[in-house]
Amino acid sequence: MLKKEKEFYTEEVRFIVGTDEAGRGPLAGPVCAAAVLFPPEFSWEEINDSKQLTMRKRESLYRMIEENALGFGIAMVSAPDIDRLNIYEATKVAMKHAISEIHHPYQLILSDAMPLSDLPAPVVPIIKGDAQCLNIAAASILAKVTRDRYMVQLENLYPMFSFSKHKGYGTKAHLEELAKNGPIEGIHRKSFAPVAHYKDIQLKLF
């Protein structure tokens, strides 16, 4: 059971938001962040870092989190905005937007190792927070499921890329697709080196 939040509860700190992201590393698609606020007494043994769960388990937990959270938010920042801001700053923007969707009062925010400022409550970055904090782990699940669903939809629009399988990460299959088709405008992250490489090749052909 993930219990680290309990270290932060006091008479003044009664409600804690957790936030995490999915999709910082891929070559394509948005970065997605989520924020979750559970009641302080809430616990659920199956909630864990999203990377440790199967797709089916994440999907079932997604519904449970929605039903039991006092508040949650989900936000995405697009590939063009990632290129404009850089992935680190884009992740911060996504997290802040996700947190802004929580309207229940809270006194503290715990993030998965991401420093954040200009928010209604203090922020404590927790290294590997998704493996220690219930609210952060739940946020990681919402972010991962939302982004994965989005990438599946992208494959319907761009069937030459198997986004439903590699989710935009730089796998061998994705690199082969990039070499064959070139990057998709507005979908691939031009500031990421492998995409920039194939973009340069594509430009030299025309």
Side-chain angles (χ1 to χ4, degrees):
M1 185 185 297
L2 310 183
K3 296 182 177 180
K4 192 165 183 66
E5 273 101 345
K6 295 190 181 301
E7 298 175 15
F8 295 91
Y9 286 115
T10 66
E11 288 186 9
E12 292 77 28
V13 177
R14 299 176 55 233
F15 297 100
I16 297 174
V17 170
T19 184
D20 199 4
E21 53 72 32
R24 282 180 69 173
L27 307 180
V31 63
C32 182
V36 173
L37 171 61
F38 282 130
E41 70 279 3
F42 181 80
S43 65
W44 198 275
E45 292 282 352
E46 294 176 313
I47 291 178
N48 198 355
D49 170 12
S50 64
K51 297 184 291 295
Q52 304 301 318
L53 303 170
T54 65
M55 181 180 70
R56 180 174 293 182
K57 177 57 70 177
R58 288 194 298 266
E59 287 282 354
S60 67
L61 287 172
Y62 185 103
R63 293 189 293 274
M64 184 279 298
I65 292 164
E66 283 187 320
E67 291 167 358
N68 288 276
L70 294 173
F72 67 91
I74 302 170
M76 292 194 286
V77 173
S78 68
D81 284 335
I82 291 169
D83 292 334
R84 178 175 59 85
L85 296 167
N86 77 51
I87 185 59
Y88 186 74
E89 294 301 324
T91 300
K92 287 184 178 181
V93 169
M95 284 182 168
K96 288 169 129 181
H97 284 173
I99 292 166
S100 73
E101 294 182 15
I102 294 181
H103 303 297
H104 189 284
Y106 56 88
Q107 294 78 43
L108 185 67
I109 299 165
L110 303 180
S111 74
D112 187 30
M114 180 63 76
L116 300 168
S117 59
D118 302 319
L119 285 165
V123 179
V124 178
I126 306 289
I127 295 173
K128 296 186 178 178
D130 51 5
Q132 302 182 71
C133 301
L134 185 71
N135 289 283
I136 296 178
S140 79
I141 292 167
L142 295 192
K144 173 67 173 167
V145 170
T146 300
R147 188 180 186 280
D148 284 357
R149 289 174 179 174
Y150 180 88
M151 298 308 291
V152 170
Q153 292 173 350
L154 272 189
E155 185 174 320
N156 294 331
L157 296 173
Y158 305 101
M160 72 287 287
F161 284 91
S162 49
F163 288 129
S164 66
K165 295 183 176 65
H166 53 63
K167 306 300 190 298
Y169 283 87
T171 64
K172 180 182 177 183
H174 191 184
L175 293 176
E176 289 173 351
E177 292 163 354
L178 268 173
K180 180 180 179 181
N181 304 297
I184 304 169
E185 187 68 29
I187 301 299
H188 281 97
R189 304 175 183 179
K190 298 177 185 177
S191 56
F192 282 42
V195 178
H197 170 72
Y198 289 111
K199 183 70 174 176
D200 288 342
I201 291 175
Q202 191 178 42
L203 289 172
K204 289 173 184 176
L205 293 174
F206 297 98

